[in-house]
Amino acid sequence: KAGVTQTPRYLIKTRGQQVTLSCSPISGHRSVSWYQQTPGQGLQFLFEYFSETQRNKGNFPGRFSGRQFSNSRSEMNVSTLELGDSALYLCASSLHQGTNQPQHFGDGTRLSIL
Amino acid sequence: SQQGEEDPQALSIQEGENATMNCSYKTSINNLQWYRQNSGRGLVHLILIRSNEREKHSGRLRVTLDTSKKSSSLLITASRAADTASYFCATIKGTGNQFYFGTGTSLTVIP
């Protein structure tokens, strides 16, 4: 079974631009979560999608948005990029929602803002 | 803000030695999970311990949980160079999948 796939692996953008990151979960997984990882703040939860609906949202500005499609694939969009948005963005999937579900992570998209 | 804090931040040991890392968290939990992250890669789930469990084993991993102290520990026995990675504890808020990760322990195993 293929793992969680994130594309692209690396991305370089300039301030003010926008970016869309993609995540394909493990086949059959319906919950997709996004995290931002930086050296200073560590791993921070962005949002979670389940059955095409955003179920939970972290403490990030409205420039960060996402969506989930009927096949459970998810995209994350960041508009008006700032230098501080440089980070590793990780996507994780699990079968369902619920506190006993381990998360399966992709290898992330490394976003660099110039 | 992060839910958990790992201690120590960095740990360097010789191959064959045991490695112990600790995690403290802030609120009540249903379960606590440990993850490993190799450099430049995503996180890999290692083990889950429920709030009503005190100890759990998986291969060379041993996890303990003390809910009264809001702390957990991960012991890796007979470490190998391949265990070199960062280790994170994670707790969950509410009923969804909003995980809070600790600050991580960077483990280096010297061959």
Side-chain angles (χ1 to χ4, degrees):
Chain A
K1 190 183 266 190
V4 177
T5 303
Q6 291 189 247
T7 57
R9 283 298 311 275
Y10 303 93
L11 205 50
I12 299 175
K13 291 285 187 179
T14 56
R15 281 182 297 172
Q17 287 187 311
Q18 73 164 13
V19 67
T20 299
L21 312 181
S22 179
C23 171
S24 294
I26 291 173
S27 178
H29 284 196
R30 296 171 62 194
S31 171
V32 174
S33 300
W34 289 88
Y35 294 85
Q36 181 195 65
Q37 186 176 28
T38 60
Q41 298 296 317
L43 278 152
Q44 294 190 289
F45 174 81
L46 280 157
F47 28 65
E48 178 204 2
Y49 285 87
F50 181 78
S51 293
E52 302 177 63
T53 303
Q54 187 179 93
R55 303 292 177 146
N56 288 290
K57 189 177 191 303
N59 189 26
F60 277 82
R63 300 185 297 108
F64 292 81
S65 63
R67 60 178 175 169
Q68 186 181 35
F69 302 95
S70 58
N71 61 357
S72 294
R73 190 177 70 85
S74 178
E75 287 182 348
M76 191 191 100
N77 185 76
V78 189
S79 62
T80 318
L81 287 165
E82 301 176 358
L83 292 176
D85 297 333
S86 293
L88 179 66
Y89 289 89
L90 292 164
C91 166
S93 75
S94 61
L95 272 171
H96 307 290
Q97 281 194 305
T99 60
N100 292 329
Q101 299 290 319
Q103 299 270 284
H104 300 266
F105 283 80
D107 283 337
T109 293
R110 172 79 58 187
L111 176 63
S112 298
I113 311 301
L114 303 179
Chain B
S1 62
Q2 289 170 339
Q3 169 80 319
E5 297 269 342
E6 274 94 344
D7 170 58
Q9 287 191 337
L11 181 61
S12 184
I13 59 174
Q14 296 289 329
E15 203 165 32
E17 294 182 335
N18 295 341
T20 299
M21 50 207 87
N22 305 296
C23 163
S24 60
Y25 56 92
K26 297 177 182 175
T27 62
S28 61
I29 59 171
N30 291 323
N31 67 64
L32 184 142
Q33 304 185 23
W34 283 90
Y35 288 80
R36 184 188 77 229
Q37 184 179 34
N38 289 85
S39 180
R41 305 295 299 274
L43 281 75
V44 175
H45 180 261
L46 295 175
I47 196 165
L48 179 154
I49 185 165
R50 301 177 198 280
S51 58
N52 61 354
E53 297 176 311
R54 291 297 168 258
E55 188 171 309
K56 198 162 183 179
H57 296 255
S58 177
R60 295 185 295 113
L61 304 180
R62 172 179 168 252
V63 168
T64 61
L65 180 65
D66 187 334
T67 53
S68 66
K69 295 181 180 178
K70 291 186 169 58
S71 68
S72 174
S73 68
L74 171 67
L75 168 67
I76 304 173
T77 61
S79 63
R80 305 166 182 169
D83 294 328
T84 294
S86 291
Y87 291 82
F88 297 87
C89 65
T91 56
I92 300 169
K93 174 182 176 180
T95 57
N97 282 344
Q98 184 171 349
F99 280 61
Y100 287 96
F101 286 88
T103 51
T105 292
S106 176
L107 173 66
T108 301
V109 181
I110 303 166

